[in-house]
Amino acid sequence: SLSSADISEPPIIASMTSSAIKLVKLIKAEEWEKVMNHVSLHPKDATIPSSLHYKSETPSGDVLPLHKALSRSPPADVVLALIFAEPKTIMVLDYLGRLPLHFASRFRASFDVMKLMIDFFPQATSVACDKGATPLMLYCLCGDSVETLKLLISASPGGISKEDNCCESAIHYASRNRNGFRFRFITVLRESGSSNYLNHSNEVAEGHSRLTALSLTTGEIKVHLGQSIQSARPPQIQIEDNNPRPKRR
């Protein structure tokens, strides 16, 4: 079964195969039916990273096809096909420490997609990226569905009170929501028990320490271009807090 101990390092850059390039082009063109057909015939292509280009074509680092597809609001059956091609891709961090669930939250994935991903890997809701943001925080900033927000809250024990590297919690992200859901999201968060209403409460949820370092054993899951993800014994996780919060007065 999938667990947080199986979270892998970001992909390593290498040359791509022609088949993997074809998959990237299909995702970029949002030809979802062809994407599903492709990964059913060539499942290894789902494990090969490539450069991520958002719709604005701004260059960035390497990600897996699952990350890339989630930046383009794919249907749930497409996400399911990519996960089935290699289930452990749902646990791979990108070059900024983001899991596929971070992408789903950032790019306003549908309720069905979010539920699907949480069902496959519920521990992803508590993982913070390099900047300390959790999927819940990113959805508070970019989301547009109260139903989906409630799903993330229910799947994130203590997630409302968690803070990023700048000591901001989900409600601070909601206060800057980009899609006109600011007041609705803040109301939901407050009704769900948020203690950080824009004034940085001194109450911090138990277990706030972030997963900031992975002590990885030989044979861990690694993603290389042109290679499939290899399953082995899970790595041991070492919890470190490299970004201690300043004392509040």
Side-chain angles (χ1 to χ4, degrees), residues 175-190:
S175 72
R176 301 190 298 274
N177 180 271
R178 300 169 179 175
N179 295 296
F181 279 72
R182 173 185 176 187
F183 294 109
R184 277 173 282 186
F185 278 14
I186 288 176
T187 298
V188 170
L189 290 166
R190 295 188 72 185

Side-chain angles (χ1 to χ4, degrees), residues 54-127:
Y54 298 122
K55 291 181 178 180
S56 64
E57 300 304 319
T58 301
S60 55
D62 275 30
V63 298
L64 292 179
L66 180 58
H67 294 87
K68 187 184 293 287
L70 287 166
S71 73
R72 295 175 177 271
S73 304
D77 51 357
V78 173
V79 175
L80 188 61
L82 287 165
I83 294 173
F84 275 175
E86 175 46 74
K88 290 189 176 181
T89 57
I90 201 170
M91 298 178 292
V92 175
L93 302 166
D94 78 342
Y95 64 106
L96 291 177
R98 298 172 297 186
L99 291 168
L101 188 61
H102 288 89
F103 278 70
S105 300
R106 165 66 179 81
F107 293 97
R108 305 190 305 279
S110 68
F111 177 89
D112 290 341
V113 167
M114 297 292 282
K115 188 174 188 308
L116 169 70
M117 298 185 69
I118 291 171
D119 287 346
F120 263 92
F121 187 35
Q123 296 93 332
T125 60
S126 62
V127 175

Side-chain angles (χ1 to χ4, degrees), residues 10-198:
I12 296 174
I13 299 174
S15 58
M16 294 185 68
T17 64
S18 59
S19 179
I21 292 172
K22 181 179 179 181
L23 176 58
V24 169
K25 289 181 177 179
L26 291 174
I27 291 174
K28 183 177 178 180
E30 300 181 15
E31 297 191 41
W32 301 126
E33 193 71 31
K34 292 182 180 180
V35 168
M36 290 189 291
N37 292 336
H38 185 98
V39 294
S40 68
L41 296 173
H42 309 282
K44 287 187 177 182
D45 289 350
T47 70
I48 301 177
S50 63
S51 178
L52 173 64
H53 293 267
Y54 298 122
K55 291 181 178 180
S56 64
E57 300 304 319
T58 301
S60 55
D62 275 30
V63 298
L64 292 179
L66 180 58
H67 294 87
K68 187 184 293 287
L70 287 166
S71 73
R72 295 175 177 271
S73 304
D77 51 357
V78 173
V79 175
L80 188 61
L82 287 165
I83 294 173
F84 275 175
E86 175 46 74
K88 290 189 176 181
T89 57
I90 201 170
M91 298 178 292
V92 175
L93 302 166
D94 78 342
Y95 64 106
L96 291 177
R98 298 172 297 186
L99 291 168
L101 188 61
H102 288 89
F103 278 70
S105 300
R106 165 66 179 81
F107 293 97
R108 305 190 305 279
S110 68
F111 177 89
D112 290 341
V113 167
M114 297 292 282
K115 188 174 188 308
L116 169 70
M117 298 185 69
I118 291 171
D119 287 346
F120 263 92
F121 187 35
Q123 296 93 332
T125 60
S126 62
V127 175
C129 68
D130 290 353
K131 294 184 178 180
T134 63
L136 174 60
M137 294 174 187
L138 294 178
Y139 196 80
C140 285
L141 178 65
C142 304
D144 58 3
S145 165
V146 169
E147 183 183 24
T148 302
L149 175 63
K150 289 180 178 179
L151 171 67
L152 277 165
I153 291 172
S154 65
S156 310
I160 294 177
S161 298
K162 285 187 176 181
E163 296 173 346
D164 65 10
N165 296 350
C166 295
C167 300
E168 291 193 332
S169 65
I171 206 161
H172 297 85
Y173 281 75
S175 72
R176 301 190 298 274
N177 180 271
R178 300 169 179 175
N179 295 296
F181 279 72
R182 173 185 176 187
F183 294 109
R184 277 173 282 186
F185 278 14
I186 288 176
T187 298
V188 170
L189 290 166
R190 295 188 72 185
E191 290 175 349
S192 300
S194 175
S195 62
N196 286 347
Y197 184 56
L198 303 182

